[in-house]
Amino acid sequence: MGALGKVMKKALGDMGFNRGGGIINWFPGHMATATRAIRDRLKLADLVIEVRDARIPLSSVNEDLQPVLSSKRRVIALNKKDLANPNIMQKWIQCFDSHKQDCLSINAHSKTSVKKEKIKRATVGPLPGVTQDIAGYKIAHQPSIYVLDTPGILVPSIPDIETGLKLALTGAVKDSVVGEERLAQYLLAVLNSRGTPLHWRNLNNRRLEGLRAEFKETKEKTLRDLLPKRRKLPTESDIWHIEDLVTQVQCALYITFAEFEGNLEDESDLESLIEEQFVALQKAMKIPHKASDEARIMVAKKFLTLFRMGKLGPFTLDDVPDSHNPVA
C-alpha cells in the first residue's frame, strides 16, 4: 500500500458517488417557525449557550444566526464529546480561546457532564427534530434565572455538499434526505483518506472489562439496530455480538486498505477501493446476497450505526482552521 502519504486534493464531497445527488437541504416547517421564534427570544437573553456537535464544530454552525449570537455574551458547548477525537477537540477549544470565544465540551447524555435536573426536563435524542418548540424552565429563585431550551435548527440552504454530508453523517439531517449508501461511501472515503484502517490492525484482542460500563451508557434502541430482530432487552451475549461485529468490520476494512495498490489521490482508484470495501463489509456482516440495492443499503445502515455509536472510534470530521480564519 504505497499511497498512504497522498490523499485526495479534491473535496471528498465532490467525488463521483455524489454525482446526481445534488446539494443537501433539510429545513422542515418546525425549523422555519423555530428560527423566527429564536430571533425574537434572543432579544431577552443575557447569555447564550450555543450547542454545536463536537465532531463538526464548524459545519454545525448556523450561519444565519451568527450575527445575532456574536453580539451576545456566548458560550459554545461542543456536545457529544465522547464521540469526538479528544486530541483534536482540545485543539478546537484552543482555537476558540485564541479568538476570545468561551468554549467547553460536554456530553448531554452524561449526568456528570450536564446537571441532572436539566437532563430530566429538556428532551434530547439521537435523531433530528426531537425538540420542536421553545421551552422555558426556571432554575433559580434569588435572583430569578430562566433557561430557554430551543430546537436544533439548520439553515434553509446548506452551503456546500460536504457540509451537508457531515451534518447527515452525524445525524443532524435525516438519512432519507441523503441516502444511506451515499453516506456510507462518504464515510469510507474519509476513513481511507486518513489511513484510519491501519490503526485497527492490533485491535482484535478485545476484553469484556469496561464493556459493561460502556453498555450502560448505550441506548438500548440503538443497540437493537445492530442485533437480530427480537423483543427482549440486549444481554451480555448481545454485547459480545456487537463487539465481534466491530472486530469483523475493522478487519475487513484493514485488509482491503492494506492490500490496496492504487493511489488515494486518484478519484477512480479511491472509488474502486470503496467498492471493494462494500463487498468486504457485506461478508463481514454476514448479510446474504439479495437484490443488489437491498444488500448495499443493509450494509450502509449497519456501518453508519457503528460509526454513530462510536464503535469505530472517536472522530472529528472538521479540520481545525489556521489562526487567521474565523471560527465563530
Side-chain angles (χ1 to χ4, degrees), residues 229 282 285-299 302:
K229 297 301 179 183
Q282 183 175 346
M285 295 174 179
K286 298 180 174 60
I287 294 176
H289 291 284
K290 300 183 179 183
S292 179
D293 289 346
E294 185 179 355
R296 290 175 71 88
I297 291 173
M298 290 177 67
V299 169
K302 287 198 172 189

Side-chain angles (χ1 to χ4, degrees), residues 124-138:
V124 294
L127 298 176
V130 171
T131 304
Q132 296 194 1
D133 298 309
I134 296 178
Y137 311 109
K138 188 173 185 178

